[in-house]
Amino acid sequence: MNEPRIRFENAAKSYGSLTVLDNPETACNEKVMNEPMVRFENVTKRYGALTVLDELNLDIARNEKVCIIGPSGSGKTTVLRMLMTLEQIQGGVIWVDGEPLTHMQKNGHLVPASDRHLRRVRSKIGMVFQHFNLFPHMTALQNCMEAPVSVLGLPKKQAEERAAELLDMVGLSDKRNHFPIQLSGGQKQRVAIARALAMRPKVMLFDEVTSALDPELIGEVLNVIRKLGAEHDLTMLMVTHQMGFAKEFSDRVCFFYGGKIVEQGPPDQLLGNPQNERTRQFLSAVLEAR
Amino acid sequence: MSKWDWSYVWEALPYLYRGAIVTVQATVLSFAIALVLGLIIALIRQSPNRYVSTAMTEVVEFIRSTPLLLQVFFVYFVGPQFGILIPAWTAGISMLGIHYAAYCSEVYRAGILAVEEGQWEACTALNLSRIRTWRTIILPQAIPPIVPALGNYFVGMFKETPILAAIAILEMLQQAKIFGANNYRYTEAIVMVGFFFLVFSLAASAIVQSVSIWLNRRYRLQ
């Protein structure tokens, strides 16, 4: 029974010289594979008396692509921000890759996480923001090198190679030495994606990444995300208003309303044949706006 | 006796030269203290510990709300009564520096608060350490835009250095006064001091402006 069902022996996976899996001699048994990558367990978020999220329970499997939709104020962005530790939670536990995120285990109890623990678990998560948040005083290349050098301790040369490779992947190899102000919105967002990927996260969060873009620039960003999903083993969690993209890209769509998941399911089912009244109202309002 | 006599101008020059050196030294040293200490104060005020930041805010408020002259007198004249003997030069420079550090800290704070919240969030998402976040992301964006405001305090402080005369530091205006008293003739010396202050202030403003332009270009901030 202790014999693992699946064993990776010296497995390696590369895309060009970008190594995704580097000889992990770890045996992956069924339990680990079945364990969710992210688990929200009774997570509650409050601002003063206002409850934004009420005892949220949500599991996201390894490599699963989940889209979160819902009206503004429904708490959908808060889900991502809590996972990125940009918001404190008032109740419950968030688990990432089998470990509590803002807590740590001590004598069988959960206590608030130390800074070290928080940073270690957080390193598994990357995030792309609606307003890019690129560092304006650094070139595209420097934006992608900063964290690998200072956090992972990568030598400059290696970090530069990695950054160049990622910029190549998002189709911006000719913009390496451009500053954010010299780039279009779509280009900025692609640099932001490359910057997050440079840290080799296991989970990628996309917070309305196309909402601040001109309509004709949305496609180039979505294409990059599509490519990421197809070529990399990444768990992706995405807040979006692009219903068409959600339908084609995701494994599951969650509809948030009033701080709760009102309905969730495969995109065809949820977007094509919603069961809940609120979901129907929301979808018809969104489709009408087109 | 004519109203303006060039011979007094030449005679006063050595006095004023000695005074000018003291004035410039005092300004540069005090401002260096103000720049460094002001930044430290601003960073302490951003501390997540509310007691620490509030205490620092109160100290800044106290320094800003009492006259510089009183602070200088306090250190120089009251200090010795408690056995704290500080030479005039040290007392003058450090009080001038500390007083202006309080003002500069406010300027730094404005610069820091003007950096977008999203920059902090990106640093958290990339797992940058606190020190690294400040050093390579926040301060390079916060400081270039506030260089002109800091420069104003530089020129302002320069013009306040005659206060040092009150604790017997022979800066330029005091030298002019001594020269005037010795010769019963004030016009030339006082006018020349005024002229020097004007020239130095204009030169300092020009330097500040070019530093500002260079920094903004270096960090691509518009």
Side-chain angles (χ1 to χ4, degrees), chain A residues 26-95:
Chain A
T26 21
C28 292
N29 58 37
E30 217 168 349
K31 182 179 165 288
V32 173
M33 291 306 284
N34 285 339
E35 191 174 70
M37 188 68 212
V38 175
R39 161 171 283 175
F40 291 90
E41 192 183 315
N42 298 323
V43 174
T44 298
K45 170 72 200 173
R46 270 183 243 108
Y47 294 108
L50 177 73
T51 303
V52 181
L53 281 168
D54 191 17
E55 306 225 325
L56 173 72
N57 284 291
L58 177 63
D59 279 9
I60 293 148
R62 272 155 216 280
N63 296 340
E64 197 183 9
K65 323 292 182 223
V66 177
C67 280
I68 297 177
I69 60 170
S72 62
S74 60
K76 55 193 193 313
T77 288
T78 309
V79 173
L80 300 194
R81 293 176 57 84
M82 291 188 314
L83 191 49
M84 197 66 260
T85 68
L86 298 173
E87 303 279 356
Q88 282 191 340
I89 59 175
Q90 275 72 47
V93 183
I94 301 173
W95 300 81

Side-chain angles (χ1 to χ4, degrees), chain A residues 48-204:
Chain A
L50 177 73
T51 303
V52 181
L53 281 168
D54 191 17
E55 306 225 325
L56 173 72
N57 284 291
L58 177 63
D59 279 9
I60 293 148
R62 272 155 216 280
N63 296 340
E64 197 183 9
K65 323 292 182 223
V66 177
C67 280
I68 297 177
I69 60 170
S72 62
S74 60
K76 55 193 193 313
T77 288
T78 309
V79 173
L80 300 194
R81 293 176 57 84
M82 291 188 314
L83 191 49
M84 197 66 260
T85 68
L86 298 173
E87 303 279 356
Q88 282 191 340
I89 59 175
Q90 275 72 47
V93 183
I94 301 173
W95 300 81
V96 176
D97 206 5
E99 281 185 286
L101 173 66
T102 56
H103 300 75
M104 52 189 192
Q105 278 151 325
K106 210 174 201 176
N107 310 326
H109 292 285
L110 287 177
V111 296
S114 67
D115 200 44
R116 194 152 150 252
H117 172 92
L118 189 66
R119 290 190 68 193
R120 189 171 54 77
V121 182
R122 185 163 59 198
S123 70
K124 297 175 181 178
I125 308 169
M127 184 162 180
V128 184
F129 299 89
Q130 180 177 358
H131 296 290
F132 330 124
N133 299 349
L134 290 179
F135 304 134
H137 57 301
M138 296 180 177
T139 61
L141 199 68
Q142 288 167 336
N143 261 283
C144 299
M145 286 170 63
E146 173 58 33
V149 169
S150 75
V151 180
L152 305 179
L154 236 56
K156 269 227 162 98
K157 197 163 169 289
Q158 213 175 318
E160 190 176 334
E161 276 168 26
R162 184 187 285 193
E165 204 129 353
L166 286 163
L167 287 175
D168 203 25
M169 193 199 78
V170 299
L172 291 173
S173 38
D174 55 331
K175 304 283 184 202
R176 273 175 210 180
N177 298 317
H178 285 52
F179 285 86
I181 201 160
Q182 298 166 306
L183 301 173
S184 73
Q187 291 169 336
K188 280 185 210 169
Q189 198 57 294
R190 286 187 279 154
V191 173
I193 292 172
R195 180 176 72 171
L197 288 174
M199 294 300 280
R200 304 269 163 93
K202 293 183 170 182
V203 184
M204 277 287 276

Side-chain angles (χ1 to χ4, degrees), chain A residues 231-270:
Chain A
E231 294 177 4
H232 295 258
D233 291 335
L234 274 172
T235 307
M236 290 160 97
L237 197 49
M238 191 167 185
V239 170
T240 186
H241 293 297
Q242 303 289 322
M243 296 304 156
F245 183 74
K247 194 166 190 172
E248 143 223 357
F249 178 76
S250 62
D251 302 315
R252 176 158 51 126
V253 178
C254 299
F255 174 70
F256 271 72
Y257 183 76
K260 280 181 159 39
I261 299 178
V262 171
E263 189 174 355
Q264 57 178 317
D268 288 337
Q269 183 196 312
L270 189 127

